[in-house]
Amino acid sequence: MAGTAEQIEVGGRTVRLSSPDRTYFPDLGLTKRDVLGYYLAVGDGIVRALRERPCMLHRYPKGIEGDKVHQKRLPSGAPDWVETVRVHFPRFGRTADELCVTELAHVAWAVQMSTIEFHPWNSRRADVETPDEWRIDLDPGDDCDWTRVQRVAHVSREVLDELGAIGYPKTSGGRGLHVYVRLRPEHGFTDVRRAALAFAREVERRAPQDVTTTWWRKDRDPAAVFVDYNQNARDHTIAAAYSIRGNPRATVSAPLTWDEIDECEPDDFTVLTMPARFAELGDLHAAIDDTPYDLRRLVEWAERDDASGLPTPEMADGMAAQVPPGQ
């Protein structure tokens, strides 16, 4: 039996939690109630990570061993106090009203709707087409170990320091690492993605033995770290800081200090360990909005690369469009 519904008070709202005893993570015995308890424990952090952003939900109605639902449109039956933002998908000629978190009760309601993972856009409701977040995704190949990811993280920080940009690292909740840089919302997705590629190429120049920017997975060194600039494309999302990941270990995407990167392992941060860490340290990304970066210098790097004949992201998009689905 999953249990009867409970009424949970969250920030002055009453959130109904149905089937609170339903098991979501069988290996650890974690239930839907435990998932909500986790998000309440890191409430300030998860709300800051999601605030005012269109958010795709990864829902697991039967727990992580069941089917996963990628939910862009707000699930039906939302209370009138749940907020949304309308986004347009030009490729399909459609729009969708996505969840737009502004308070912790919105997160709690999403958990009621069986959400485990939160995947926000890198732009906000005030101007969905203008990103205010540059995402550096250090994505390890199949044969790449964590030590190599750690090395590439430090090279990335070196380049960021030279640019005068402040990066906020976090584990991906998987085998990789993310670094977020807050931007002045002055450039569209195309410029941000081109700038992200220029940055990735500079990291590759400095650590060619560890890094790849090769577009096609089949052509990459499986032992290298792919600096995935594509995560800055329009409508591409990755797990938010503090988001749980839908794996048997119940890992979370955990904000780090730069000094911690050499001392930690990705599996150190889970639903079971993160609440105590948050209670002790608070939100390590709390100051991210205080340091917006002017992207113009990186845009100049992108123009330099274009002038030297290096492929642009748009060229890669064109090649990808010519490949039949499934290849």
Side-chain angles (χ1 to χ4, degrees):
M1 295 291 293
T4 58
E6 298 177 353
Q7 303 296 319
I8 310 296
E9 295 297 317
V10 183
R13 310 279 193 192
T14 300
V15 179
R16 179 178 181 271
L17 189 70
S18 62
S19 302
D21 296 319
R22 175 171 292 154
T23 300
Y24 274 13
F25 293 88
D27 288 359
L28 300 174
L30 297 176
T31 65
K32 186 177 185 179
R33 184 189 293 109
D34 295 323
V35 170
L36 177 58
Y38 164 79
Y39 279 121
L40 296 181
V42 299
D44 288 347
I46 189 63
V47 171
R48 181 173 288 106
L50 301 176
R51 187 181 300 279
E52 296 283 350
R53 302 186 184 281
C55 186
M56 182 169 70
L57 309 176
H58 288 197
R59 299 172 55 228
Y60 295 76
K62 302 298 183 183
I64 64 163
E65 294 187 345
D67 292 337
K68 176 167 66 171
V69 178
H70 291 235
Q71 187 94 36
K72 291 187 176 182
R73 297 180 184 278
L74 189 76
S76 61
D80 58 10
W81 46 263
V82 172
E83 298 185 34
T84 62
V85 54
R86 178 159 293 182
V87 293
H88 177 60
F89 300 99
R91 181 179 175 187
F92 304 105
R94 295 200 298 264
T95 61
D97 294 326
E98 296 195 7
L99 177 67
C100 188
V101 168
T102 61
E103 58 179 284
L104 187 54
H106 296 155
V107 175
W109 177 81
V111 173
Q112 155 60 13
M113 300 305 295
S114 69
T115 300
I116 288 179
E117 299 189 21
F118 292 85
H119 288 241
W121 284 42
N122 62 336
S123 59
R124 290 184 173 174
R125 178 165 56 178
D127 187 352
V128 170
E129 300 303 324
T130 307
D132 74 334
E133 193 164 77
W134 162 28
R135 296 171 175 177
I136 302 165
D137 180 9
L138 306 184
D139 182 13
D142 292 341
D143 299 333
C144 179
D145 60 23
W146 175 242
T147 300
R148 182 163 288 188
V149 176
Q150 292 167 314
R151 289 203 301 267
V152 175
H154 291 303
V155 177
S156 298
R157 186 188 188 188
E158 174 185 289
V159 178
L160 288 173
D161 285 347
E162 291 178 16
L163 287 167
I166 299 177
Y168 289 80
K170 68 184 184 72
T171 64
S172 67
R175 300 172 51 243
L177 194 75
H178 302 154
V179 182
Y180 284 4
V181 178
R182 185 65 78 243
L183 299 176
R184 298 177 186 174
E186 298 171 345
H187 298 270
F189 288 101
T190 298
D191 276 350
V192 174
R193 186 183 180 204
R194 289 175 66 238
L197 173 55
F199 174 87
R201 283 174 171 154
E202 182 60 27
V203 175
E204 184 179 28
R205 291 184 189 104
R206 300 188 188 200
Q209 72 283 3
D210 289 332
V211 174
T212 181
T213 58
T214 299
W215 173 263
W216 298 107
R217 179 182 290 273
K218 64 182 178 60
D219 295 330
R220 295 178 202 153
D221 177 356
V225 175
F226 177 47
V227 183
D228 189 357
Y229 56 92
N230 299 302
Q231 298 295 359
N232 296 278
R234 188 183 188 279
D235 188 32
H236 280 223
T237 63
I238 52 181
Y242 300 103
S243 177
I244 305 171
R245 304 309 305 271
N247 60 52
R249 306 178 308 284
T251 57
V252 304
S253 183
L256 303 170
T257 67
W258 285 103
D259 291 342
E260 288 182 301
I261 290 175
D262 287 338
E263 303 169 359
C264 71
E265 296 287 337
D267 284 359
D268 290 345
F269 309 102
T270 72
V271 169
L272 297 175
T273 64
M274 196 66 183
R277 173 179 169 86
F278 190 87
E280 178 183 357
L281 301 178
D283 182 9
L284 295 179
H285 286 189
I288 191 169
D289 286 322
D290 299 341
T291 55
Y293 178 65
D294 184 338
L295 202 63
R296 284 181 294 179
R297 186 175 176 191
L298 260 182
V299 171
E300 291 172 359
W301 285 15
E303 292 169 349
R304 172 202 66 191
D305 288 350
D306 293 350
S308 66
L310 291 172
T312 67
E314 293 75 26
M315 291 178 184
D317 287 344
M319 290 187 293
Q322 298 172 25
V323 178
Q327 297 188 23

